[in-house]
Amino acid sequence: MLIIVIIIGIMALVFIANRSKYFLHMLQLEGYNSEQFQKWINSNKKKVFSLKNDNNEIKKPLVFTNRAKRLYLTNMIFNIILVALFVLKTRNFLEAPPAYAFFALVILIVLLGILYYLQAFLMLISNNSLKPIEKRINMGFYEQAQEKIKSRADLIVVGITGSFGKTSTKFIVGNILEEKFKVLNTPESYNTPMGLSKVINNDLTHEHNVFIAELGARNIGDIKEVAELVQPKIGVITSIGPTHIETFKNIDNIMKTKYELIEELPTDGVAIFNYDNEYIKKLADKTFKEKILYGLEDIENLDLYAEDIEVSEFGSTFTIKDKDGNSIRCTTKLLGKHNVYNILAGVAVARLLDLSFDEIKNGIESLEPIPHRLNIINPGTGVIIIDDAFNSNPIGSKAALEVLSQFKEGRKIIVTPGMVELGAMEIEANKEFGTNIGKVCDYVILIGEKRTKPIYDGLMEVNYNKDNIFIVNTLDEATSHIQKLARPKDIVLFENDLPDNYSE
């Protein structure tokens, strides 16, 4: 009987070890933030208490970083201790009459089953227990990176932040500056203290003249923390709008957080603002440090602007001018008017660093589309795919629909799960998204019936044909509909792709 009890305990640990990986993954996607993970648990009780967690449709796999390994090991130690306690308690009844022994065995299985179901909460406890250790480890990497930046008086650091457009702008700035400098750009969306510390510690060398750092935030104080790390001499704010409203609560908090970048600039630093953004305009007007204002409107007050913009499905052509009367005509493969703003930010940094207009023109014309940000894909079937799957937001979704409307031939199909992280305004924003879709698209594929209901309601407000709306549960189902529906010259827009920690 003892052997049976031990075997049951070992089998339970095997199942628990597999299940806990799923919750480790969700916690990783929440940035190891216990509060955010608790919210995820509250919103996903079906997954938390399901018999199994299906990882077949995971888009971004679990990465076993050193932190993930420490957390997984801690969680398993807790589990081993609890399973061992259950087994030892059961062992006391093994020499009792068979009926009592059998009853004890049943109790053991029930306790192990409860432990299996409660893995999400045990992972939360494990994460909280490691907080002091992780804080010390992270501070070590942070201080090492900070000292490395401080030791490079010759290094030009450009900090870029914004509610949206910061990653695209970062790559654009880097591409232009590479005409003259050896540039290190933070990869993908590395914009947190630990992500930036890793890049600085591992990749920054004395060969680099310029370091471009994307600065991300979900809470007040986040930009200040990363700006103190990278110590930028140039700060760019690309946009301010309703993203991460769930954590910021309101636009005023977003404005305050983004402005932390400007506050952290040295006295001889330079602030670069998208002056067309109503929220940024307020921040720029109160700034007394040296500043550069760019945009497309109110050109009398701008240092840098673009005119004669021609936007098509192939890219954009425009004339860049500055307040001194200099101008240059440029063409880019990047889609959408919003990318002209991102390019203007790049030009502002380049002019500040004394690049010539010819160097800037070369940098702009060599720009390649950025993955998952209005990136055109031609799979060879005659159907054109527009991949705008990265983190949709109200302004970005309008820009994507504007690009889609510029295609002259073929039917227009959109695939979307809607927008997230917009807090109280999420329903209304998705409803407006639906009305905008109804004015542009011939067919609509919505992923997730509950989540996309506001989009559906918006479509109904413009009397959209219900027969042209398809509601599916997964991206695979959406792809099946496209295969049946699309024909040569049609355009399919993939607008947003929910992360794995979001679901119905």
Side-chain angles (χ1 to χ4, degrees):
M1 182 67 82
L2 177 59
I3 294 174
I4 294 173
V5 170
I6 292 172
I7 290 172
I8 290 172
I10 292 171
M11 288 177 63
L13 282 172
V14 170
F15 284 112
I16 285 169
N18 185 57
R19 180 173 170 80
S20 63
K21 285 180 186 176
Y22 175 78
F23 296 113
L24 173 63
H25 185 199
M26 295 302 106
L27 185 55
Q28 188 176 78
L29 292 174
E30 296 292 353
Y32 300 104
N33 184 302
S34 291
E35 185 179 338
Q36 290 299 114
F37 185 57
Q38 181 67 66
K39 289 180 181 177
W40 180 87
I41 290 173
N42 295 340
S43 302
N44 293 271
K45 288 188 170 61
K46 188 176 179 181
K47 286 188 174 182
V48 170
F49 297 109
S50 65
L51 277 170
K52 67 172 188 173
N53 300 107
D54 189 2
N55 294 322
N56 293 332
E57 294 182 5
I58 293 294
K59 296 180 281 289
K60 184 178 179 180
L62 169 65
V63 181
F64 263 102
T65 60
N66 288 334
R67 180 169 186 172
K69 289 174 184 175
R70 287 191 294 270
L71 181 52
Y72 186 63
L73 178 61
T74 301
N75 183 73
M76 286 310 300
I77 288 171
F78 283 146
N79 278 297
I80 290 168
I81 290 170
L82 289 170
V83 170
L85 285 173
F86 296 159
V87 169
L88 288 172
K89 286 293 182 183
T90 305
R91 181 185 176 188
N92 296 334
F93 293 92
L94 295 182
E95 295 178 3
Y100 287 103
F102 178 77
F103 181 72
L105 198 60
V106 171
I107 293 296
L108 173 64
I109 293 170
V110 169
L111 288 172
L112 293 174
I114 292 171
L115 184 61
Y116 177 84
Y117 275 109
L118 295 181
Q119 280 307 297
F121 302 97
L122 199 62
M123 186 62 70
L124 183 61
I125 293 168
S126 301
N127 191 54
N128 287 332
S129 70
L130 282 179
K131 270 186 180 179
I133 296 171
E134 294 300 336
K135 188 173 181 179
R136 284 198 296 272
I137 292 171
N138 290 346
M139 186 54 65
F141 290 130
Y142 182 98
E143 290 174 350
Q144 179 187 348
Q146 192 179 55
E147 285 303 313
K148 191 171 184 180
I149 292 288
K150 285 180 179 179
S151 70
R152 291 289 308 277
D154 61 318
L155 183 69
I156 300 165
V157 180
V158 181
I160 299 174
T161 193
S163 297
F164 31 85
K166 56 184 176 290
T167 302
S168 297
T169 301
K170 174 184 66 178
F171 287 125
I172 290 167
V173 172
N175 200 81
I176 296 173
L177 294 186
E178 281 176 350
E179 293 293 317
K180 185 174 181 177
F181 298 103
K182 179 71 173 178
V183 178
L184 175 63
N185 221 329
T186 52
E188 299 174 357
S189 295
Y190 274 58
N191 56 27
T192 64
M194 285 307 97
L196 288 166
S197 294
K198 181 179 179 181
V199 173
I200 294 166
N201 289 330
N202 296 344
D203 302 329
L204 183 64
T205 70
H206 285 283
E207 293 181 0
H208 296 114
N209 314 112
V210 178
F211 175 48
I212 304 173
E214 176 184 338
L215 312 182
R218 284 175 174 265
N219 299 281
I220 293 173
D222 284 355
I223 296 295
K224 177 179 173 63
E225 185 180 7
V226 286
E228 286 177 346
L229 168 64
V230 302
Q231 301 178 49
K233 297 179 178 68
I234 301 169
V236 183
I237 303 183
T238 63
S239 58
I240 289 178
T243 57
H244 302 310
I245 284 287
E246 284 183 337
T247 53
F248 280 118
K249 307 303 180 188
N250 56 56
I251 288 287
D252 287 342
N253 285 339
I254 296 175
M255 291 173 65
K256 180 179 179 180
T257 304
K258 300 304 178 186
Y259 197 66
E260 290 168 2
L261 169 60
I262 309 306
E263 291 173 328
E264 289 300 316
L265 293 175
T267 52
D268 60 345
V270 183
I272 299 175
F273 296 103
N274 174 1
Y275 204 63
D276 285 0
N277 183 284
E278 60 176 312
Y279 306 112
I280 295 178
K281 186 177 187 297
K282 293 177 183 177
L283 299 178
D285 288 344
K286 74 173 187 178
T287 300
F288 293 98
K289 291 176 180 174
E290 183 181 349
K291 57 190 173 185
I292 298 174
L293 310 179
Y294 69 89
L296 307 179
E297 306 162 10
D298 192 21
I299 60 176
E300 301 82 17
N301 294 314
L302 299 177
D303 299 292
L304 200 65
Y305 57 95
E307 286 187 333
D308 304 321
I309 300 171
E310 299 172 12
V311 180
S312 73
E313 68 267 36
F314 304 110
S316 305
T317 300
F318 46 89
T319 301
I320 294 174
K321 296 184 177 182
D322 65 19
K323 63 181 179 181
D324 297 323
N326 299 304
S327 68
I328 193 165
R329 190 77 175 160
C330 299
T331 298
T332 179
K333 289 180 278 188
L334 302 187
L335 298 175
K337 189 176 178 181
H338 68 290
N339 266 319
V340 178
Y341 282 104
N342 298 336
I343 288 170
L344 281 170
V347 175
V349 176
R351 290 300 289 158
L352 190 61
L353 298 181
D354 297 323
L355 269 76
S356 69
F357 269 107
D358 285 337
E359 288 171 324
I360 290 170
K361 180 182 172 73
N362 290 337
I364 291 171
E365 297 193 343
S366 66
L367 285 168
E368 291 295 329
I370 298 156
H372 312 306
R373 293 166 176 85
L374 284 176
N375 187 18
I376 287 187
I377 300 169
N378 189 343
T381 61
V383 177
I384 297 170
I385 305 293
I386 303 178
D387 178 3
D388 195 39
F390 184 85
N391 196 24
S392 183
N393 57 75
I395 293 177
S397 65
K398 287 179 183 176
L401 289 171
E402 183 182 336
V403 167
L404 187 61
S405 69
Q406 288 153 3
F407 283 79
K408 308 303 180 189
E409 295 185 86
R411 300 171 303 168
K412 299 169 181 65
I413 305 167
I414 187 170
V415 180
T416 184
M419 298 176 282
V420 298
E421 295 187 327
L422 299 179
M425 64 181 298
E426 186 168 299
I427 291 175
E428 192 57 39
N430 276 312
K431 188 175 181 181
E432 183 182 347
F433 184 30
T435 61
N436 293 334
I437 289 172
K439 298 170 187 175
V440 175
C441 299
D442 299 294
Y443 292 93
V444 181
I445 302 176
L446 302 175
I447 303 178
E449 184 175 1
K450 293 178 184 177
R451 181 167 288 284
T452 59
K453 188 180 184 303
I455 300 176
Y456 185 89
D457 293 341
L459 288 165
M460 292 302 99
E461 281 197 358
V462 292
N463 299 313
Y464 196 81
N465 186 350
K466 291 182 181 180
D467 293 337
N468 290 358
I469 303 173
F470 303 93
I471 300 173
V472 299
N473 293 316
T474 66
L475 189 59
D476 286 342
E477 288 181 40
T479 303
S480 296
H481 276 284
I482 292 169
Q483 290 171 345
K484 297 172 187 174
L485 190 65
R487 59 194 186 205
K489 295 188 179 180
D490 285 352
I491 308 97
V492 182
L493 168 64
F494 286 87
E495 183 63 17
N496 203 16
D497 184 15
L498 293 182
D500 296 305
N501 49 329
Y502 275 87
S503 67
E504 280 287 280

